[in-house]
Every structure is written in structure tokens, then in C-alpha cells.
Amino acid sequence: MPDVPGELSSALTIGALLLLFVFSWIAVGPMPVVARWMARLCLIGLAMLPFIMISTFDVPRSPPKSAGAPPPPVVAEGPKDSEPRPPITSELPPGELSSPAPAPSVPPPSAEAPPSLPPELEQAPAPGAPPPPAAPAPKPAPPAVEEPTRGLGSPPTSTAESETDGAVKPKPDDMAEPAPPPPPAPAPGAAPEADKTDWDVVPVFFGTDRAESPNDKRLDYGADRGRKLTMGRALVTVPKAHEVPAIERPWAIRIPYFGITLYEEAEDPKKHFTMQELKRLSKEEFLALVRERLAKSAAFKDHALVFVHGFNTMFDNAVYRTAQIAYDLKFDGAPFLYSWPSGGGVASYTYDRESAGQAVPYMREFLDMVVKETGAKSVSVIAHSMGNQPTLQVLKDIKSSSPPGVVISQIILAAPDVDRDNFENIAKDIQGLANGITLYASSSDKALNVSRRFHGGVPRAGDVPATGPLVVPGIDTIDVTAASTDSLGLNHSGYAENNALLNDIQLLIQTGERPPEKRIPILERVPGPKGDYWRYPVKP
């Protein structure tokens, strides 16, 4: 075991050097933009060096355990120099017993009874030492329990000492046998019970048109298009130590763009979100499990929550995000995920945009089933980023072709990466489909800024340009820039990574109360040329 950490630290060190080498190699390329990004990644690699050094210095911590074995021989040398020390002889192994050892029998009362029965020393310590058996752990107890055999042999004359020499040898063996069994017995029994309370399990009912990826260990879905709807259920473990609104996952050292993982921490359900189960289901099995979940709901009775992820999202990450939202909202209804085939990379923007568009018929089939066949009495939809493109198209189709009785509870459009003009057109078409529609917009969303440049400088529906956020009749627009400045990053998941927004989403789904300042009193109402919108106050 001591060799493993050493090899691991060496691998990490070599990997870091390799990482820096690759970065430097790419940075000298002819493309200035790539060079600039690689330089930044080099800095990240340099920042990881302290952690690697720490792991290297941690290696010597394991040897002390093996070093704990030598102490017995060292103690054995002490009694040879000073024979009359009884406490030291009590720690000696049975092979080094001598005449001076039995002499220091501290408990005289227990020594009087045994002289007549030296061979039955196992019974002598039991009646004479009822208190000692309970005290083997304390300091005074060990000499009284382990040494009574020697003390019992010492009160007699030198002839008795010779008898104890012959009797003591078998006795330590007999006494060593009962001692080991007790410790291992309770330990294994208690461990599993403690482990069961270290995490919770959140079910996620998913639909996807991703193609399956070859994986010998488990079911897996990649970035390729499957061209059909597949359904299933994931069971996600959430650690009790979870901090809202994070998604705790093992840290890893990877080389971007190459798909090479240099080191990855082992998953631990006590500390991380993990995939306990991922299973493909038939439609009948799927609906049966959903109805079972809805029947047990209480706070969100018979409520279904459908989440559609955005750009740069792999399947597993989408499942974890859905579980995190449901867990942090304390949502006990049925959480659903629709995962369209995103490439899961910053460079896959064009591929993601086309994949989101081709997913419309499969998402429509999935959402139709959730609304009409699961038995849910309330259905809320959260679409994020680029996921708003297929979601809005599906909602438009449902509005135009579904019977009048089909009504969705809440539609939440978070940082939508959709053209403003298209958004306004579709928003008019879906009026009346839901009890309420809410738009979360932000001026600090980096991915939307990139998207705006990609689309010729035209602001996206989730942007907040200098003229203000998009305001459409029938939709509550909330500027969340002040609430999520720190949490909105390149993956722009500020809607799920900010406590204030999570609180608003929870109240919106649970109560549907409007206008927004009734749910969140701190919101400021701002009048605009096309109507009013709301915003979180700027922190001083």
C-alpha cells in the first residue's frame, strides 16, 4: 500500500509536466486565438502544481503504521537490563517470560486462591477478576487481566515458578484467542448502517434521442444522434454533506480538446453526486414507475417537473443537474429530464445548435407523454440556454394541436439562447398554454455573449443589453444579473447555482404567485417602453 501513493504522486507530477508541454506546443501555433486560450490553460496547469506537491508530501504518512510493529522488540530490551520491573514484563511477548516476571504479582488476593490449581488458571482469573475483564482497555486493567496467570504462579515457591514456566506458555495463546474476535465483530455490523445514512437517492426519469455509447461497465449515452426516443430512469445519490446549490463531483486533471484524463479522484457517495443506477425502460415500465413516484408526493402533489438542458452538456451532467435542482427545491414530485445530443464541448456550438433543432419531434413525443399519460395534474417546464430552441418549438406545436384541456402549470425560460425576434413570435403563439411564463435574463452570461457575436451582434433573448432585457406581453421578465454575477460562468448555469433564483423557482412552481414582487419582495419593478420588468437590486 505505501507504494501506491508514491506512484500516484509521480504520475501526477509527470502528467502535469506533460500537460504544460502540450499547452506550450499548441500555444506556438499560427492561430493567435488558440494560442491565447492555450496560454490561459497553461496558467491553470501551473496552478495545479501546489496540489500535486501536497499529494507528494502526504506519502510519508503511511509508513508510520508499519513502523508501529517494531516497538515490541524495543520494549523487550528494557526488561533485560532491569528485571524487577513488573509493568514492562506485562508487555513482553510470552516467549520472553522469566522468573523475575512472576515475582511482581501486584494483586495478592487473587494469587492466594490459584496455588492449589495452577493448571486451571483460566478459571482462576475469572472469579478473582470480575472487575478486570471490563477494564482491559484502561491502563491499570491490562496488567491485571493478562498477567494474572503469571501473578498466580509467582506466589508459590521456586518450584511453583517452574510450573508456571510450563503453564504460562500455553496460557497467552489461550488468552489471545478470545481477545481478537470481539473487535472485528461489532465493526462490520455497524459500518453498513452508518453508510446508509450518508446520502439520499433522487430518481430522474429521462428521455433522450442520443445514441448509446459503448461502455462495458454501464449504460451510457454520448454526443451522437440516435434518431429515436429512448426512455429510462436514473437513480442519483446526493451526499448529506451537499452544499446548496453545488454539484459535488470528483476532481480530475484532463487535457482539454484531447479527451485525455491524467488523474481522476475516485467517486464516493458520501462526498459526491454519483450514478447509482441507469436503466433503459419500456414505455409501460416507465409510466408505472412515474405513477408510483407521483402517488407518494406530498409537498408537490401530483406535480411533474421537466428540465431541458442547454449547450455544452453531456448526458451525465444533465442528469446530475436535474437531480440537484429537484433536491435543492425539495421537490418530491416526479423530476423529468429531456437530454438532446449536445456535443459537450465549447467548440461544439454549431453542432449543438443543429442537434437541438433536429430533436424537436422526439422531445414532442416525450412531453406529450408526460402531460397526457403519467397522471400528473401539474406540469412545469424549465428550459435552459440553447435548450429553449427545441422547447419553444415543441410548446408551440402542443398549443396548436392539443385539446383545450391541456394546460401546463409554469414555463421557466432560463438564459434562453434564442434570437430575440424569433422568441417574440413564438411567445405570442404559446400564450394561454401555461398558467405563467417567466424569463430569466442576465448581462453577465458569457456563453450568451459568445452566441451574440456568433450571430452577428444581435442580442439573444436571455441578454440584458444597454436598452434593457426583452419584454414580451404575457411573460414576466426578471433581470438576474445582480443575483448571479458570481455564479454565471461559461457553462451559464446561474439559474441553478444561485440560492436566490432557486428560492424564486421553488415558490413559482409551488404557488404560481404573480407578479414576481409578491414572491420575492426585494425585486425592483422597472418600467420600460414595452412594459415593466423586474430585477434584483444591485448589491452596494
Side-chain angles (χ1 to χ4, degrees):
M1 294 299 296
D3 296 338
V4 176
E7 295 176 358
L8 178 59
S9 60
S10 300
L12 289 175
T13 305
I14 296 173
L17 294 175
L18 177 61
L19 182 64
L20 292 175
F21 174 80
V22 174
F23 289 160
S24 301
W25 182 272
I26 298 177
V28 298
M31 299 178 64
V33 177
V34 175
R36 182 172 65 255
W37 278 105
M38 292 304 102
R40 292 175 181 175
L41 292 174
C42 266
L43 294 177
I44 297 175
L46 290 173
M48 294 300 298
L49 286 178
F51 298 98
I52 298 173
M53 298 302 297
I54 291 174
S55 64
T56 303
F57 287 123
D58 285 342
V59 175
R61 293 181 182 175
S62 55
K65 297 181 179 179
S66 60
V74 176
V75 177
E77 296 176 358
K80 292 179 181 179
D81 297 338
S82 55
E83 296 179 351
R85 296 182 181 176
I88 300 178
T89 54
S90 64
E91 299 178 359
L92 290 175
E96 295 188 4
L97 294 175
S98 59
S99 58
S105 58
V106 180
S110 61
E112 296 175 357
S116 58
L117 297 173
E120 300 177 358
L121 293 175
E122 297 178 356
Q123 299 178 356
K139 296 179 180 179
V145 175
E146 297 178 2
E147 289 302 321
T149 56
R150 301 175 188 174
L152 293 175
S154 63
T157 57
S158 59
T159 57
E161 294 178 0
S162 61
E163 295 176 359
T164 57
D165 294 339
V168 170
K169 294 180 180 178
K171 289 168 189 174
D173 297 338
D174 297 338
M175 296 183 65
E177 293 176 359
E193 296 178 0
D195 291 344
K196 292 180 182 178
T197 63
D198 290 330
W199 62 81
D200 294 317
V201 178
V202 179
V204 175
F205 301 95
F206 68 86
T208 184
D209 59 307
R210 294 177 184 259
E212 291 186 17
S213 293
N215 190 329
D216 296 335
K217 298 181 179 179
R218 45 155 279 196
L219 178 64
D220 195 9
Y221 294 97
D224 294 334
R225 302 169 186 173
R227 305 293 295 165
K228 65 178 181 179
L229 174 62
T230 302
M231 294 173 288
R233 185 187 68 170
L235 296 180
V236 179
T237 65
V238 180
K240 291 289 184 66
H242 164 66
E243 294 183 4
V244 178
I247 296 180
E248 294 85 358
R249 288 289 297 154
W251 66 275
I253 301 176
R254 296 186 176 92
I255 300 180
Y257 306 108
F258 291 91
I260 300 175
T261 300
L262 300 176
Y263 175 74
E264 185 171 8
E265 182 186 10
E267 283 188 342
D268 184 354
K270 296 180 181 180
K271 300 187 299 181
H272 308 129
F273 278 63
T274 66
M275 198 81 70
Q276 186 183 76
E277 177 185 285
L278 185 64
K279 188 176 181 180
R280 187 193 314 103
L281 300 172
S282 65
K283 183 177 180 179
E284 292 72 21
E285 294 171 328
F286 184 86
L287 291 174
L289 290 174
V290 170
R291 290 165 185 161
E292 180 182 349
R293 171 74 177 182
L294 290 173
K296 297 177 181 178
S297 59
F300 294 83
K301 185 62 178 174
D302 295 329
H303 203 128
L305 177 62
V306 182
F307 171 63
V308 184
H309 65 78
F311 156 68
N312 184 19
T313 304
M314 295 301 291
F315 178 81
D316 284 12
N317 294 334
V319 172
Y320 292 138
R321 178 63 74 188
T322 307
Q324 176 257 322
I325 294 174
Y327 189 82
D328 291 345
L329 293 181
K330 299 178 177 60
F331 184 77
D332 62 351
F336 293 86
L337 161 70
Y338 189 82
S339 181
W340 49 276
S342 166
V346 178
S348 63
Y349 185 88
T350 303
Y351 175 81
D352 280 15
R353 183 183 60 181
E354 302 303 325
S355 287
Q358 65 84 40
V360 169
Y362 314 111
M363 185 188 298
R364 166 69 190 275
E365 181 183 352
F366 182 74
L367 194 56
D368 265 344
M369 180 188 63
V370 173
V371 172
K372 300 176 183 178
E373 301 182 52
T374 60
K377 297 179 181 178
S378 298
V379 178
S380 294
V381 179
I382 300 178
H384 175 227
S385 175
M386 194 178 287
N388 281 272
Q389 293 186 17
T391 301
L392 288 171
Q393 187 62 48
V394 168
L395 293 175
K396 177 182 176 181
D397 293 345
I398 291 178
K399 177 65 167 59
S400 61
S401 61
S402 295
V406 176
V407 177
I408 294 176
S409 177
Q410 299 295 327
I411 297 175
I412 300 173
L413 309 173
D417 184 5
V418 180
D419 179 80
R420 279 194 159 200
D421 295 336
N422 286 339
F423 185 91
E424 287 192 63
N425 294 335
I426 297 177
K428 295 176 183 177
D429 294 333
I430 63 175
Q431 292 292 326
L433 177 62
N435 294 331
I437 304 176
T438 302
L439 166 65
Y440 288 121
S442 174
S443 63
S444 59
D445 193 301
K446 295 181 181 180
L448 286 181
N449 292 336
V450 173
S451 176
R452 181 173 61 250
R453 291 194 296 269
F454 183 86
H455 289 90
V458 179
R460 311 300 284 169
D463 282 335
V464 182
T467 56
L470 179 64
V471 177
V472 179
I475 296 179
D476 293 335
T477 299
I478 303 178
D479 180 358
V480 299
T481 301
S484 57
T485 300
D486 295 333
S487 59
L488 283 175
L490 189 58
N491 60 353
H492 64 151
S493 297
Y495 71 97
E497 294 179 356
N498 185 278
N499 289 339
L501 297 183
L502 282 174
N503 293 337
D504 188 29
I505 292 174
Q506 181 178 18
L507 292 172
L508 183 58
I509 294 175
Q510 200 164 24
T511 67
E513 192 173 21
R514 314 187 110 78
E517 69 262 23
K518 286 189 176 181
R519 302 189 308 269
I520 309 293
I522 65 171
L523 289 178
E524 299 174 349
R525 190 169 190 142
V526 182
K530 292 187 177 181
D532 296 346
Y533 68 93
W534 292 260
R535 69 183 175 194
Y536 282 87
V538 179
K539 297 180 181 179

